[in-house]
Amino acid sequence: MCKAVHVSDITELCIEAAADLLAVRGFHGLRMIEVASRAGVSRQTVYNEFGNKEGLVQAVAAHRTEEYLAGIAQRLRQDPDPWQAMRLAFRFTFEQTEKDRLASAMLTGQDAEDLLPFLTIRGHPVLFHATEVVERHLSEHFPGKRVRFTAETTVRLALSHLLMPSGDLDDAMDAVITVARVTLEA
């Protein structure tokens, strides 16, 4: 009972099915047979596409990261003021995270406590790519400054606010932008 779909469609269907299941059951509760069933493909097709469960979860993380970074990059181009553009980008990130069941599960540990390492101790791909996006933005506005250091510090601080919110969204964004400004001026 497999659907006749294009290979990239199969990948997309599997990634979306896995993301939904991960949000509810976490890494240890994810079963390849359930992913296959939801995607309408055979279990062997899922294994052929991703190799194993770890490969599937990494593909989900890469896909979701790419979606977030595309949205962030778009917002960084929306305003000529670099700080207002960063504010738009961080607001998008924080608001999108609230809506995204998988991101919420990763950050809160609710229903999927075993996913937190994919954002923390195994979070290098997310940190690296997010830092690149912010670094490109800052380089356009502040050539010759310590933009790499500022970008990484800014992304780490934003992730920290996502993991452990300490106030409202505007206060968190103000803190991230203030640190970025001070770091660039140092």
Side-chain angles (χ1 to χ4, degrees):
M1 289 220 220
C2 296
K3 296 178 184 176
V5 292
H6 188 266
V7 172
S8 63
D9 294 337
I10 291 171
T11 301
E12 183 72 27
L13 289 168
C14 291
I15 286 173
E16 289 306 315
D20 290 344
L21 290 166
L22 281 166
V24 176
R25 297 198 179 107
F27 180 80
H28 294 297
L30 181 67
R31 300 288 176 257
M32 299 295 261
I33 189 71
E34 289 182 81
V35 172
S37 176
R38 282 195 181 198
V41 299
S42 71
R43 186 177 74 172
Q44 188 58 50
T45 298
V46 178
Y47 279 104
N48 290 345
E49 288 290 313
F50 303 100
N52 56 30
K53 184 164 62 167
E54 180 82 22
L56 175 58
V57 172
Q58 287 175 349
V60 170
H63 181 75
R64 286 294 169 93
T65 299
E66 186 178 308
E67 287 178 344
Y68 271 78
L69 295 179
I72 290 168
Q74 176 188 359
R75 279 140 187 95
L76 288 173
R77 293 186 300 269
Q78 282 183 345
D79 197 300
D81 178 322
W83 306 116
Q84 185 58 32
M86 284 182 72
R87 179 175 284 283
L88 293 171
F90 287 121
R91 178 172 295 284
F92 163 78
T93 303
F94 282 70
E95 289 176 349
Q96 192 67 19
T97 300
E98 284 182 17
K99 295 179 209 172
D100 185 333
R101 279 183 63 196
L102 180 56
S104 180
M106 289 176 73
L107 293 168
T108 65
Q110 184 177 359
D111 299 323
E113 60 278 345
D114 59 354
L115 293 179
L116 187 57
F118 287 95
L119 193 57
T120 55
I121 60 176
R122 290 186 185 164
H124 182 71
V126 173
L127 176 65
F128 179 79
H129 294 298
T131 297
E132 282 183 330
V133 170
V134 174
E135 181 180 13
R136 276 193 300 275
H137 169 71
L138 292 174
S139 292
E140 291 173 13
H141 297 281
F142 306 99
K145 297 281 188 170
R146 301 172 351 154
V147 295
R148 179 70 184 182
F149 176 77
T150 301
E152 185 174 339
T153 301
T154 302
V155 169
R156 286 179 181 274
L157 183 57
L159 285 172
S160 175
H161 278 283
L162 284 170
L163 286 167
M164 295 184 308
S166 58
D168 71 357
L169 176 58
D170 288 321
D171 289 342
M173 289 187 308
D174 287 343
V176 171
I177 291 169
T178 298
V179 167
R181 284 183 132 157
V182 169
T183 305
L184 274 178
E185 296 170 0

